[in-house]
mmCIF file of all heavy atoms in Angstrom:
data_model
loop_
_atom_site.group_PDB
_atom_site.id
_atom_site.type_symbol
_atom_site.label_atom_id
_atom_site.label_comp_id
_atom_site.label_asym_id
_atom_site.label_seq_id
_atom_site.Cartn_x
_atom_site.Cartn_y
_atom_site.Cartn_z
ATOM 1 N N VAL O 1430 -16.840 -26.521 -29.029
ATOM 2 C CA VAL O 1430 -17.565 -25.297 -29.387
ATOM 3 C C VAL O 1430 -16.511 -24.236 -29.699
ATOM 4 O O VAL O 1430 -15.332 -24.454 -29.462
ATOM 5 C CB VAL O 1430 -18.474 -24.801 -28.242
ATOM 6 C CG1 VAL O 1430 -19.608 -25.780 -27.986
ATOM 7 C CG2 VAL O 1430 -17.667 -24.584 -26.986
ATOM 8 N N SER O 1431 -16.938 -23.117 -30.205
ATOM 9 C CA SER O 1431 -15.956 -22.079 -30.541
ATOM 10 C C SER O 1431 -15.563 -21.286 -29.299
ATOM 11 O O SER O 1431 -16.282 -21.272 -28.304
ATOM 12 C CB SER O 1431 -16.545 -21.126 -31.565
ATOM 13 O OG SER O 1431 -17.488 -20.298 -30.940
ATOM 14 N N ALA O 1433 -15.568 -18.215 -29.076
ATOM 15 C CA ALA O 1433 -16.538 -17.125 -28.932
ATOM 16 C C ALA O 1433 -17.660 -17.564 -28.004
ATOM 17 O O ALA O 1433 -18.065 -16.830 -27.098
ATOM 18 C CB ALA O 1433 -17.096 -16.741 -30.298
ATOM 19 N N THR O 1434 -18.145 -18.765 -28.229
ATOM 20 C CA THR O 1434 -19.219 -19.293 -27.382
ATOM 21 C C THR O 1434 -18.752 -19.394 -25.928
ATOM 22 O O THR O 1434 -19.468 -18.996 -25.009
ATOM 23 C CB THR O 1434 -19.645 -20.678 -27.877
ATOM 24 O OG1 THR O 1434 -20.030 -20.556 -29.241
ATOM 25 C CG2 THR O 1434 -20.790 -21.209 -27.051
ATOM 26 N N ARG O 1437 -18.555 -15.959 -24.448
ATOM 27 C CA ARG O 1437 -19.886 -15.415 -24.172
ATOM 28 C C ARG O 1437 -20.552 -16.133 -23.001
ATOM 29 O O ARG O 1437 -21.183 -15.508 -22.156
ATOM 30 C CB ARG O 1437 -20.741 -15.518 -25.428
ATOM 31 C CG ARG O 1437 -20.348 -14.466 -26.444
ATOM 32 C CD ARG O 1437 -21.372 -14.371 -27.559
ATOM 33 N NE ARG O 1437 -21.061 -15.305 -28.629
ATOM 34 C CZ ARG O 1437 -20.707 -14.925 -29.861
ATOM 35 N NH1 ARG O 1437 -20.625 -13.650 -30.166
ATOM 36 N NH2 ARG O 1437 -20.452 -15.811 -30.784
ATOM 37 N N ARG O 1444 -27.550 -14.047 -25.338
ATOM 38 C CA ARG O 1444 -27.947 -14.911 -26.458
ATOM 39 C C ARG O 1444 -27.244 -16.271 -26.452
ATOM 40 O O ARG O 1444 -26.945 -16.819 -27.508
ATOM 41 C CB ARG O 1444 -27.654 -14.196 -27.786
ATOM 42 C CG ARG O 1444 -28.575 -13.008 -28.026
ATOM 43 C CD ARG O 1444 -28.757 -12.717 -29.494
ATOM 44 N NE ARG O 1444 -27.518 -12.314 -30.128
ATOM 45 C CZ ARG O 1444 -27.185 -11.039 -30.354
ATOM 46 N NH1 ARG O 1444 -27.974 -10.067 -29.988
ATOM 47 N NH2 ARG O 1444 -26.052 -10.756 -30.951
ATOM 48 N N SER O 1446 -27.538 -20.182 -24.834
ATOM 49 C CA SER O 1446 -28.519 -21.069 -24.174
ATOM 50 C C SER O 1446 -28.062 -21.416 -22.763
ATOM 51 O O SER O 1446 -26.861 -21.507 -22.477
ATOM 52 C CB SER O 1446 -28.682 -22.354 -24.977
ATOM 53 O OG SER O 1446 -27.586 -23.205 -24.752
ATOM 54 N N THR O 1449 -25.641 -24.521 -22.567
ATOM 55 C CA THR O 1449 -24.206 -24.331 -22.825
ATOM 56 C C THR O 1449 -23.551 -23.524 -21.730
ATOM 57 O O THR O 1449 -22.429 -23.793 -21.339
ATOM 58 C CB THR O 1449 -23.972 -23.629 -24.183
ATOM 59 O OG1 THR O 1449 -25.039 -22.735 -24.434
ATOM 60 C CG2 THR O 1449 -23.856 -24.645 -25.305
ATOM 61 N N LYS O 1472 -7.441 -5.741 -24.674
ATOM 62 C CA LYS O 1472 -8.552 -5.563 -25.598
ATOM 63 C C LYS O 1472 -9.387 -4.342 -25.224
ATOM 64 O O LYS O 1472 -9.709 -3.502 -26.049
ATOM 65 C CB LYS O 1472 -9.428 -6.818 -25.553
ATOM 66 C CG LYS O 1472 -10.509 -6.875 -26.611
ATOM 67 C CD LYS O 1472 -10.077 -7.739 -27.771
ATOM 68 C CE LYS O 1472 -10.182 -7.037 -29.105
ATOM 69 N NZ LYS O 1472 -11.568 -6.779 -29.527
ATOM 70 P P DC F 564 -31.848 -18.575 -26.848
ATOM 71 O OP1 DC F 564 -31.939 -19.559 -25.799
ATOM 72 O OP2 DC F 564 -31.610 -17.166 -26.576
ATOM 73 O "O5'" DC F 564 -30.774 -19.031 -27.909
ATOM 74 C "C5'" DC F 564 -29.989 -20.152 -27.663
ATOM 75 C "C4'" DC F 564 -29.134 -20.391 -28.857
ATOM 76 O "O4'" DC F 564 -29.275 -19.319 -29.803
ATOM 77 C "C3'" DC F 564 -27.631 -20.411 -28.544
ATOM 78 O "O3'" DC F 564 -27.201 -21.760 -28.633
ATOM 79 C "C2'" DC F 564 -26.974 -19.555 -29.620
ATOM 80 C "C1'" DC F 564 -28.113 -19.308 -30.602
ATOM 81 N N1 DC F 564 -28.051 -17.997 -31.307
ATOM 82 C C2 DC F 564 -27.444 -17.936 -32.572
ATOM 83 O O2 DC F 564 -26.946 -18.974 -33.068
ATOM 84 N N3 DC F 564 -27.388 -16.746 -33.238
ATOM 85 C C4 DC F 564 -27.920 -15.678 -32.674
ATOM 86 N N4 DC F 564 -27.848 -14.520 -33.370
ATOM 87 C C5 DC F 564 -28.557 -15.712 -31.400
ATOM 88 C C6 DC F 564 -28.592 -16.884 -30.749
ATOM 89 P P DT F 565 -25.838 -22.218 -28.140
ATOM 90 O OP1 DT F 565 -25.853 -23.691 -27.990
ATOM 91 O OP2 DT F 565 -25.478 -21.352 -27.023
ATOM 92 O "O5'" DT F 565 -24.898 -21.901 -29.363
ATOM 93 C "C5'" DT F 565 -24.906 -22.759 -30.507
ATOM 94 C "C4'" DT F 565 -24.020 -22.192 -31.573
ATOM 95 O "O4'" DT F 565 -24.416 -20.846 -31.904
ATOM 96 C "C3'" DT F 565 -22.543 -22.098 -31.206
ATOM 97 O "O3'" DT F 565 -21.862 -23.086 -31.947
ATOM 98 C "C2'" DT F 565 -22.124 -20.680 -31.592
ATOM 99 C "C1'" DT F 565 -23.290 -20.219 -32.467
ATOM 100 N N1 DT F 565 -23.561 -18.759 -32.476
ATOM 101 C C2 DT F 565 -23.280 -18.048 -33.614
ATOM 102 O O2 DT F 565 -22.809 -18.543 -34.628
ATOM 103 N N3 DT F 565 -23.564 -16.707 -33.536
ATOM 104 C C4 DT F 565 -24.102 -16.032 -32.453
ATOM 105 O O4 DT F 565 -24.320 -14.834 -32.507
ATOM 106 C C5 DT F 565 -24.371 -16.841 -31.297
ATOM 107 C C7 DT F 565 -24.948 -16.221 -30.065
ATOM 108 C C6 DT F 565 -24.087 -18.157 -31.349
ATOM 109 P P DG F 566 -20.280 -23.287 -31.732
ATOM 110 O OP1 DG F 566 -20.006 -24.732 -31.821
ATOM 111 O OP2 DG F 566 -19.849 -22.510 -30.557
ATOM 112 O "O5'" DG F 566 -19.694 -22.581 -33.045
ATOM 113 C "C5'" DG F 566 -20.324 -22.827 -34.298
ATOM 114 C "C4'" DG F 566 -19.575 -22.116 -35.404
ATOM 115 O "O4'" DG F 566 -20.020 -20.732 -35.468
ATOM 116 C "C3'" DG F 566 -18.057 -22.067 -35.227
ATOM 117 O "O3'" DG F 566 -17.441 -22.354 -36.479
ATOM 118 C "C2'" DG F 566 -17.777 -20.625 -34.772
ATOM 119 C "C1'" DG F 566 -18.923 -19.843 -35.410
ATOM 120 N N9 DG F 566 -19.381 -18.705 -34.621
ATOM 121 C C8 DG F 566 -19.810 -18.727 -33.318
ATOM 122 N N7 DG F 566 -20.190 -17.560 -32.884
ATOM 123 C C5 DG F 566 -19.990 -16.716 -33.967
ATOM 124 C C6 DG F 566 -20.225 -15.321 -34.084
ATOM 125 O O6 DG F 566 -20.665 -14.552 -33.238
ATOM 126 N N1 DG F 566 -19.888 -14.842 -35.355
ATOM 127 C C2 DG F 566 -19.391 -15.622 -36.368
ATOM 128 N N2 DG F 566 -19.109 -14.995 -37.510
ATOM 129 N N3 DG F 566 -19.165 -16.936 -36.279
ATOM 130 C C4 DG F 566 -19.489 -17.409 -35.050
ATOM 131 P P DA F 567 -15.889 -22.577 -36.589
ATOM 132 O OP1 DA F 567 -15.654 -23.716 -37.504
ATOM 133 O OP2 DA F 567 -15.315 -22.584 -35.228
ATOM 134 O "O5'" DA F 567 -15.435 -21.238 -37.324
ATOM 135 C "C5'" DA F 567 -15.991 -20.912 -38.588
ATOM 136 C "C4'" DA F 567 -15.450 -19.583 -39.088
ATOM 137 O "O4'" DA F 567 -15.992 -18.502 -38.285
ATOM 138 C "C3'" DA F 567 -13.919 -19.427 -39.051
ATOM 139 O "O3'" DA F 567 -13.531 -18.785 -40.250
ATOM 140 C "C2'" DA F 567 -13.697 -18.570 -37.809
ATOM 141 C "C1'" DA F 567 -14.941 -17.692 -37.794
ATOM 142 N N9 DA F 567 -15.382 -17.248 -36.468
ATOM 143 C C8 DA F 567 -15.506 -18.010 -35.329
ATOM 144 N N7 DA F 567 -15.972 -17.356 -34.291
ATOM 145 C C5 DA F 567 -16.169 -16.075 -34.777
ATOM 146 C C6 DA F 567 -16.651 -14.898 -34.168
ATOM 147 N N6 DA F 567 -17.044 -14.834 -32.895
ATOM 148 N N1 DA F 567 -16.721 -13.788 -34.926
ATOM 149 C C2 DA F 567 -16.333 -13.847 -36.210
ATOM 150 N N3 DA F 567 -15.867 -14.901 -36.897
ATOM 151 C C4 DA F 567 -15.811 -15.985 -36.113
ATOM 152 P P DT F 568 -11.986 -18.465 -40.501
ATOM 153 O OP1 DT F 568 -11.861 -18.354 -41.974
ATOM 154 O OP2 DT F 568 -11.155 -19.409 -39.736
ATOM 155 O "O5'" DT F 568 -11.830 -17.006 -39.888
ATOM 156 C "C5'" DT F 568 -12.741 -15.970 -40.325
ATOM 157 C "C4'" DT F 568 -12.316 -14.645 -39.725
ATOM 158 O "O4'" DT F 568 -12.899 -14.473 -38.406
ATOM 159 C "C3'" DT F 568 -10.812 -14.455 -39.532
ATOM 160 O "O3'" DT F 568 -10.520 -13.112 -39.812
ATOM 161 C "C2'" DT F 568 -10.616 -14.764 -38.061
ATOM 162 C "C1'" DT F 568 -11.876 -14.086 -37.516
ATOM 163 N N1 DT F 568 -12.306 -14.473 -36.141
ATOM 164 C C2 DT F 568 -12.998 -13.539 -35.405
ATOM 165 O O2 DT F 568 -13.266 -12.429 -35.818
ATOM 166 N N3 DT F 568 -13.378 -13.965 -34.157
ATOM 167 C C4 DT F 568 -13.115 -15.199 -33.583
ATOM 168 O O4 DT F 568 -13.504 -15.464 -32.457
ATOM 169 C C5 DT F 568 -12.386 -16.125 -34.418
ATOM 170 C C7 DT F 568 -12.058 -17.486 -33.907
ATOM 171 C C6 DT F 568 -12.009 -15.726 -35.642
ATOM 172 P P DA F 569 -9.115 -12.657 -40.253
ATOM 173 O OP1 DA F 569 -9.059 -12.729 -41.720
ATOM 174 O OP2 DA F 569 -8.130 -13.381 -39.427
ATOM 175 O "O5'" DA F 569 -9.103 -11.111 -39.837
ATOM 176 C "C5'" DA F 569 -10.304 -10.349 -39.985
ATOM 177 C "C4'" DA F 569 -10.389 -9.313 -38.876
ATOM 178 O "O4'" DA F 569 -10.784 -9.952 -37.631
ATOM 179 C "C3'" DA F 569 -9.070 -8.594 -38.583
ATOM 180 O "O3'" DA F 569 -9.355 -7.225 -38.394
ATOM 181 C "C2'" DA F 569 -8.562 -9.259 -37.309
ATOM 182 C "C1'" DA F 569 -9.868 -9.609 -36.607
ATOM 183 N N9 DA F 569 -9.800 -10.751 -35.690
ATOM 184 C C8 DA F 569 -9.196 -11.969 -35.905
ATOM 185 N N7 DA F 569 -9.321 -12.809 -34.903
ATOM 186 C C5 DA F 569 -10.055 -12.095 -33.969
ATOM 187 C C6 DA F 569 -10.520 -12.422 -32.685
ATOM 188 N N6 DA F 569 -10.313 -13.621 -32.108
ATOM 189 N N1 DA F 569 -11.231 -11.494 -32.013
ATOM 190 C C2 DA F 569 -11.442 -10.304 -32.600
ATOM 191 N N3 DA F 569 -11.052 -9.874 -33.803
ATOM 192 C C4 DA F 569 -10.360 -10.837 -34.437
ATOM 193 P P DA F 570 -8.203 -6.143 -38.506
ATOM 194 O OP1 DA F 570 -8.742 -5.008 -39.275
ATOM 195 O OP2 DA F 570 -6.949 -6.816 -38.932
ATOM 196 O "O5'" DA F 570 -8.009 -5.701 -36.993
ATOM 197 C "C5'" DA F 570 -9.143 -5.261 -36.247
ATOM 198 C "C4'" DA F 570 -8.799 -5.294 -34.782
ATOM 199 O "O4'" DA F 570 -8.880 -6.656 -34.309
ATOM 200 C "C3'" DA F 570 -7.377 -4.813 -34.450
ATOM 201 O "O3'" DA F 570 -7.456 -3.640 -33.680
ATOM 202 C "C2'" DA F 570 -6.753 -5.952 -33.683
ATOM 203 C "C1'" DA F 570 -7.940 -6.799 -33.270
ATOM 204 N N9 DA F 570 -7.661 -8.223 -33.121
ATOM 205 C C8 DA F 570 -6.977 -9.036 -33.974
ATOM 206 N N7 DA F 570 -6.877 -10.281 -33.554
ATOM 207 C C5 DA F 570 -7.540 -10.267 -32.344
ATOM 208 C C6 DA F 570 -7.781 -11.269 -31.388
ATOM 209 N N6 DA F 570 -7.372 -12.542 -31.515
ATOM 210 N N1 DA F 570 -8.482 -10.924 -30.285
ATOM 211 C C2 DA F 570 -8.892 -9.652 -30.151
ATOM 212 N N3 DA F 570 -8.723 -8.631 -30.974
ATOM 213 C C4 DA F 570 -8.029 -8.998 -32.058
ATOM 214 P P DC F 571 -6.142 -2.721 -33.548
ATOM 215 O OP1 DC F 571 -6.512 -1.385 -34.040
ATOM 216 O OP2 DC F 571 -4.992 -3.440 -34.125
ATOM 217 O "O5'" DC F 571 -5.863 -2.633 -31.998
ATOM 218 C "C5'" DC F 571 -6.881 -2.560 -30.996
ATOM 219 C "C4'" DC F 571 -6.312 -3.084 -29.712
ATOM 220 O "O4'" DC F 571 -6.508 -4.505 -29.675
ATOM 221 C "C3'" DC F 571 -4.796 -2.905 -29.581
ATOM 222 O "O3'" DC F 571 -4.518 -1.695 -28.897
ATOM 223 C "C2'" DC F 571 -4.341 -4.123 -28.781
ATOM 224 C "C1'" DC F 571 -5.539 -5.075 -28.826
ATOM 225 N N1 DC F 571 -5.263 -6.441 -29.373
ATOM 226 C C2 DC F 571 -5.712 -7.565 -28.676
ATOM 227 O O2 DC F 571 -6.326 -7.408 -27.618
ATOM 228 N N3 DC F 571 -5.462 -8.803 -29.186
ATOM 229 C C4 DC F 571 -4.796 -8.931 -30.339
ATOM 230 N N4 DC F 571 -4.581 -10.165 -30.806
ATOM 231 C C5 DC F 571 -4.343 -7.793 -31.065
ATOM 232 C C6 DC F 571 -4.581 -6.584 -30.548
ATOM 233 P P DG F 572 -3.474 -0.657 -29.516
ATOM 234 O OP1 DG F 572 -3.651 0.586 -28.762
ATOM 235 O OP2 DG F 572 -3.592 -0.656 -30.980
ATOM 236 O "O5'" DG F 572 -2.056 -1.280 -29.160
ATOM 237 C "C5'" DG F 572 -1.647 -1.307 -27.804
ATOM 238 C "C4'" DG F 572 -0.376 -2.121 -27.696
ATOM 239 O "O4'" DG F 572 -0.638 -3.475 -28.105
ATOM 240 C "C3'" DG F 572 0.776 -1.623 -28.571
ATOM 241 O "O3'" DG F 572 1.897 -1.452 -27.722
ATOM 242 C "C2'" DG F 572 0.970 -2.737 -29.594
ATOM 243 C "C1'" DG F 572 0.454 -3.956 -28.848
ATOM 244 N N9 DG F 572 -0.053 -5.043 -29.669
ATOM 245 C C8 DG F 572 -0.701 -4.947 -30.876
ATOM 246 N N7 DG F 572 -1.059 -6.110 -31.370
ATOM 247 C C5 DG F 572 -0.618 -7.025 -30.424
ATOM 248 C C6 DG F 572 -0.718 -8.446 -30.408
ATOM 249 O O6 DG F 572 -1.230 -9.184 -31.244
ATOM 250 N N1 DG F 572 -0.138 -8.991 -29.263
ATOM 251 C C2 DG F 572 0.456 -8.257 -28.269
ATOM 252 N N2 DG F 572 0.949 -8.939 -27.239
ATOM 253 N N3 DG F 572 0.559 -6.926 -28.274
ATOM 254 C C4 DG F 572 0.004 -6.385 -29.370
#
Side-chain angles (χ1 to χ4, degrees):
Chain O
V1430 294
S1431 74
T1434 303
R1437 285 192 272 246
R1444 290 207 296 262
S1446 77
T1449 33
K1472 189 99 234 291

